[in-house]
Each structure stands twice: as structure tokens, then as C-alpha cells.
Amino acid sequence: TQFCEMTEAQRSLYEEKKSELRNFIIDNTEGKAPNNTIYQHVFKALTQLRLIASHPSMYAQNAEFESGKFMDVVMNMENLYKEGHKVIIFSNFVKHLKLFANFLDDYSLKYSWLTGSVKPEDRLKQINQFQNDPETKFFLISIKAGGTGINLTEADYVFILDPWFNPAVENQAIARAHRIGQKKNVMAYKYITLDTVEEKILKLQERKSLLAGVLISESQFFKSLSMDEIKELLE
């Protein structure tokens, strides 16, 4: 687990959004049972906090922000590239992957790309490129598109850019590289932004470990939380 510090502007935006969500919960749940509408609103707001924790430009798209996590990941990418390693980079958010694609494009570095919008025939092409082309060192994959059914044994590093409520999803992502036929040690890195909901999700995963092997959607996993557990995410 790699812990990342927020930039000053990133932290300010995060705390502002967190306060808004905390106030909403207090105003709408005190003395009454939360309903589906409240859960939907809270889930959406928590997703926004996760975007800010990873890279605030994904939330405030018309503003320029720097991200402590982005800078840490890029530094590691550069080092691994120089050492000749191949890296799979997973994210729950396609627009997060696009930020790293833009970085690689700026330096004319080759990479493979797999999201839900990639056609089946192009999907195989992207996989073969990563597996067989020595110059393609990175594979950017959305978790929903690449969590199962692909073997990427050329990779010896896996980056998880943002944590999921359900750790089984992360384990499946890492298993894309750690497959039969893999002859290298596989190093998996999970990037967590300190003092954010991401750090709280880690603790939540530990308590929900009984569900670790159950592949349910993130929204289903979220609905299994009590309102007290949701409030813990905002402490």
C-alpha cells in the first residue's frame, strides 16, 4: 500500500465537499430511517470525494488542479519504464485512466488501453500488443472491462489507482498478471490518499472481510453498510 499526500488545493476542495456531505447526512437522517433516495445521494457524493482524492480535476473539470497521487504514480511509472518493467494500471474511473494516457501521449510512450467501450476485436488486439510488443510497457484498464477473462503474464507490476469497497474486485484485478505461465514475481501496489475516504475504505474492507470472496457490485456492497459506517467514512 502506497500512501499519498494531497496537495494544498486538493485538500481544501476535499474538505469543502466532505463538509457538504456530512451536513446533508445530519440534516436528513437524524431521528429518522434513511431511505433509498438518501443512500443514492450519499453514494454519489462519496464517489465525488473519491474522485477528488485521486485527482481533483476529475471532479472540477474546468479548473486546473494538481494531485499528490498522480505525481507519485507518474514517478513510479517513470522508474519502472527505465528499468524495463511492464505495468498494468487499473482504475474504477475511465477519466482517471485518461489522465495517465495523456501523460504517456505527451512523452510518445506506447500503451495498451481497455475499457468497456473497446470492441471485442480491438480488445484482443490491445492484449496482444501488451503481451508481444517489447515497447508497450503499460496497460491502462478499467476494472469493469478487465477484471476477469484476460491473462497478462508479461506484466510484473500491477497498480490499483483507487480502492474499491469490495476487495474481491481488487484481488481479481491483480490476478490478471498472477496467472499460470507467469514466470516473474508480480508486485501489486495500491495507491491510497491519506486523510480521505480511501483510507477509511481500507479499514472498512478489513471489517467486511467475510464478503471478500463475494463478487457483488460496488453499489450493492455500499448498500450493505449501516449509516454509522457511512458516517465513519467522513470522519
Side-chain angles (χ1 to χ4, degrees):
T1 302
Q2 300 289 300
F3 290 103
C4 311
E5 295 278 359
M6 285 188 281
T7 65
E8 186 176 338
Q10 184 179 12
R11 184 179 299 276
S12 177
L13 178 62
Y14 183 89
E15 292 298 328
E16 177 185 342
K17 186 64 185 176
K18 186 175 76 171
S19 294
E20 288 179 11
L21 178 53
R22 187 188 292 118
N23 290 338
F24 174 86
I25 291 176
I26 292 173
D27 293 341
N28 289 274
T29 63
E30 291 299 319
K32 52 188 175 182
N35 54 38
N36 284 336
T37 301
I38 290 175
Y39 270 106
Q40 289 172 4
H41 179 94
V42 173
F43 182 66
K44 179 180 179 181
L46 280 173
T47 299
Q48 292 171 339
L49 286 177
R50 293 169 66 200
L51 291 174
I52 297 170
S54 283
H55 203 301
S57 66
M58 293 193 289
Y59 170 72
Q61 296 184 9
N62 295 326
E64 288 194 11
F65 281 93
E66 290 187 342
S67 159
K69 179 186 290 189
F70 182 83
M71 291 186 284
D72 287 351
V73 174
V74 162
M75 181 180 67
N76 288 340
M77 289 171 66
E78 291 174 336
N79 290 336
L80 292 176
Y81 179 82
K82 292 174 183 176
E83 294 171 4
H85 297 285
K86 288 208 171 196
V87 187
I88 309 172
I89 301 176
F90 280 102
S91 176
N92 197 38
F93 308 107
V94 172
K95 50 188 170 182
H96 201 185
L97 296 175
K98 287 182 178 178
L99 294 174
F100 290 93
N102 291 339
F103 165 78
L104 294 170
D105 287 337
D106 287 342
Y107 289 90
S108 300
L109 298 178
K110 296 178 69 175
Y111 59 91
S112 290
W113 172 270
L114 182 57
T115 66
S117 63
V118 174
K119 297 178 181 179
E121 59 270 23
D122 293 329
R123 177 186 175 100
L124 183 59
K125 179 181 178 182
Q126 294 296 319
I127 293 170
N128 288 337
Q129 176 181 318
F130 181 78
Q131 287 285 90
N132 301 318
D133 181 7
E135 294 185 6
T136 302
K137 301 295 187 185
F138 301 100
F139 202 148
L140 306 178
I141 307 179
S142 68
I143 191 65
K144 293 179 182 178
T148 59
I150 57 175
N151 298 333
L152 300 171
T153 52
E154 285 301 305
D156 51 355
Y157 280 81
V158 179
F159 288 179
I160 304 291
L161 295 183
D162 32 65
W164 293 275
F165 288 104
N166 185 356
V169 179
E170 295 176 357
N171 295 335
Q172 269 209 344
I174 294 169
R176 297 313 95 211
H178 195 261
R179 309 292 288 175
I180 294 174
Q182 174 60 272
K183 298 178 181 179
K184 301 179 286 290
N185 291 326
V186 178
M187 302 293 294
Y189 288 82
K190 184 190 300 186
Y191 290 88
I192 302 295
T193 302
L194 289 168
D195 303 321
T196 71
V197 64
E198 291 189 340
E199 197 173 6
K200 304 297 192 302
I201 288 174
L202 289 187
K203 297 178 181 178
L204 192 62
Q205 286 179 341
E206 293 173 4
R207 291 216 305 271
K208 296 284 187 178
S209 60
L210 292 177
L211 288 174
V214 181
L215 288 175
I216 59 177
S217 71
E218 193 158 73
S219 61
Q220 288 174 314
F221 193 89
F222 174 76
K223 289 178 181 178
S224 74
L225 306 180
S226 67
M227 190 53 65
D228 287 339
E229 287 174 322
I230 292 172
K231 289 178 181 178
E232 283 184 39
L233 294 174
L234 302 173
E235 289 178 352

